[in-house]
Amino acid sequence: MNNLNEVTSQYKPGAVTSLENELILNWYPPRILGRLDGMGYRSLLELGLGHGYTTALFNRHFTRHVVVEGASVVIDLFRQNYPDLTIELVEGYFEHFSSDEQFDVVMMGFILEHVDDPGLILRRFRKHLRPGGRLYVAVPNAKSLNRRLGLAMGKIGDIYELNANDHALGHQRQFCRDTLKALLHEEGYQVTWEEGIYLKPLPLGYMQTMPEFEENLRAMCEVGVDFPDLCVGLLMEVQVS
């Protein structure tokens, strides 16, 4: 198991934080909150802080919000950036988290690509999901349109290949829609809803030269909802089978 503080360079001030990363992390939480609206869910267990965007967005919608994070550097940065949020932060690896508490919602946003054993994480946290509760999983999509184009152009040798940015972020694998669904089913979950996150047709550098750049990014997120197989990210809602 790696020391997570060794793969936090992209979360520190001054890092070259991708515009697309910020776009994605601010896009999908409202999509989830729309699914939960009116259901009376009050408690959330979230795995990982990352840049803190998603945690801050979710926080005001839950009365009980627990976050497990294994990198002390990331926790310190989050506390500096969001000093007023009412969150219980648990420092530790997901594999070691121990509690008898169950939650209405468990959130695994761009987590499973980082861990040593994704199946183990899904099994361990199933017991923390209240009966009738919902688990949300988001992961990068190996078969996104831009990666398919990269493969066809010879830019990558394999569709599941990790690039330099993946390694900098501590990614250990790529998923696609089929492999993620198979893993979820194997670990006792039923997919009840899914959609794509950000349909990217061209490299970001080229798109930045186009007129109405920000409007195009927004449109790519909206259109991508219906085309998960081609999107940069996959988002799934699951319940215990």
Side-chain angles (χ1 to χ4, degrees):
M1 191 175 295
N2 295 328
N3 179 351
L4 296 184
N5 282 330
E6 295 177 356
V7 289
T8 58
S9 62
Q10 296 303 304
Y11 303 102
K12 295 178 181 178
V16 183
T17 302
S18 169
L19 175 64
E20 293 171 311
N21 193 42
E22 185 173 348
L23 172 75
I24 289 169
L25 295 177
N26 282 282
W27 169 264
Y28 80 85
R31 303 293 301 175
I32 292 173
L33 291 168
R35 293 282 299 173
L36 298 174
D37 187 40
M39 300 192 68
Y41 286 167
R42 294 289 179 264
S43 60
L44 169 65
L45 174 61
E46 188 176 4
L47 275 62
L49 283 169
H51 295 87
Y53 304 136
T54 60
T55 299
L57 288 168
F58 286 129
N59 183 248
R60 59 180 176 266
H61 296 274
F62 294 90
T63 55
R64 171 83 171 135
H65 189 179
V66 177
V67 182
V68 184
E69 171 58 57
S72 60
V73 168
V74 171
I75 290 175
D76 291 343
L77 287 171
F78 181 82
R79 285 176 169 152
Q80 292 171 25
N81 293 330
Y82 302 97
D84 300 324
L85 295 189
T86 55
I87 292 172
E88 180 181 327
L89 285 173
V90 179
E91 183 178 343
Y93 289 90
F94 307 141
E95 294 86 347
H96 299 161
F97 178 72
S98 179
S99 172
D100 295 327
E101 188 174 1
Q102 291 186 316
F103 296 81
D104 296 319
V105 179
V106 175
M107 199 73 60
M108 298 183 185
F110 294 97
I111 290 299
L112 295 181
E113 67 273 18
H114 290 268
V115 299
D116 292 338
D117 186 344
L120 173 65
I121 301 302
L122 289 167
R123 287 193 298 277
R124 282 186 63 87
F125 283 86
R126 189 170 58 198
K127 70 179 182 180
H128 297 299
L129 192 61
R130 186 168 294 152
R134 301 188 181 194
L135 167 67
Y136 289 91
V137 175
V139 297
N141 179 22
K143 294 184 178 180
S144 62
L145 178 59
N146 59 301
R147 285 182 63 87
R148 291 174 192 248
L149 292 172
L151 182 65
M153 295 170 64
K155 301 294 186 182
I156 56 176
D158 183 272
I159 200 70
Y160 295 101
E161 181 179 296
L162 297 176
N163 59 30
N165 187 57
D166 288 316
H167 292 298
L169 290 168
H171 293 176
Q172 298 196 46
R173 66 191 56 80
Q174 288 273 1
F175 287 95
C176 69
R177 194 179 180 193
D178 290 339
T179 58
L180 179 59
K181 278 188 171 182
L183 176 64
L184 291 167
H185 290 158
E186 181 180 342
E187 300 303 338
Y189 295 95
Q190 176 186 4
V191 178
T192 52
W193 169 79
E194 61 177 312
E195 64 180 42
I197 307 174
Y198 180 40
L199 179 60
K200 178 183 178 181
L202 297 167
L204 180 64
Y206 181 82
M207 290 193 296
Q208 286 177 307
T209 68
M210 299 167 61
E212 300 181 326
F213 169 62
E214 292 186 4
E215 290 82 354
N216 273 310
L217 287 183
R218 178 78 182 184
M220 290 169 196
C221 285
E222 292 179 357
V223 173
V225 164
D226 296 324
F227 300 96
D229 282 311
L230 298 177
C231 280
V232 169
L234 301 166
L235 176 60
M236 296 187 185
E237 170 193 275
V238 302
Q239 294 179 286
V240 177
S241 299

